[in-house]
Amino acid sequence: KTKSLSLIMNLTREQILNEIDRIDNQLSPENLHCDGEITRAQAQVKYNRLMKERNRLEKLLGEPVEYRG
């Protein structure tokens, strides 16, 4: 679930990087597709949501973070 912006604004650099790691883990093919239990369209919606959250965290951090999935 996406965290509220006010909560994200109070995260430390380490916490932001941990959140990005969590997202990267969820972006792995087996997690993204729920081991084949969701449709391709559902996986795309999930991917878009996760990338939006990841991009917002990178912006808050002030620098891009290499994908570590």
Side-chain angles (χ1 to χ4, degrees):
K1 192 171 183 178
T2 303
K3 298 186 182 330
S4 71
L5 189 56
S6 62
L7 178 59
I8 288 175
M9 295 298 288
N10 294 321
L11 294 178
T12 66
R13 177 180 173 77
E14 182 178 348
Q15 289 170 320
I16 291 170
L17 291 172
N18 286 339
E19 282 296 304
I20 290 173
D21 281 342
R22 180 190 60 78
I23 291 168
D24 286 353
N25 182 269
Q26 289 183 20
L27 287 168
S28 71
E30 59 276 1
N31 288 332
L32 188 61
H33 292 272
C34 298
D35 293 324
E37 295 181 16
I38 63 174
T39 67
R40 191 173 207 169
Q42 289 170 318
Q44 186 64 53
V45 168
K46 185 177 177 182
Y47 173 84
N48 292 344
R49 179 183 51 80
L50 289 168
M51 288 305 296
K52 182 177 180 181
E53 183 178 349
R54 192 183 196 287
N55 290 336
R56 188 172 53 176
L57 288 166
E58 282 184 329
K59 187 174 182 178
L60 183 62
L61 190 61
E63 63 187 74
V65 177
E66 187 175 328
Y67 175 71
R68 301 181 270 193

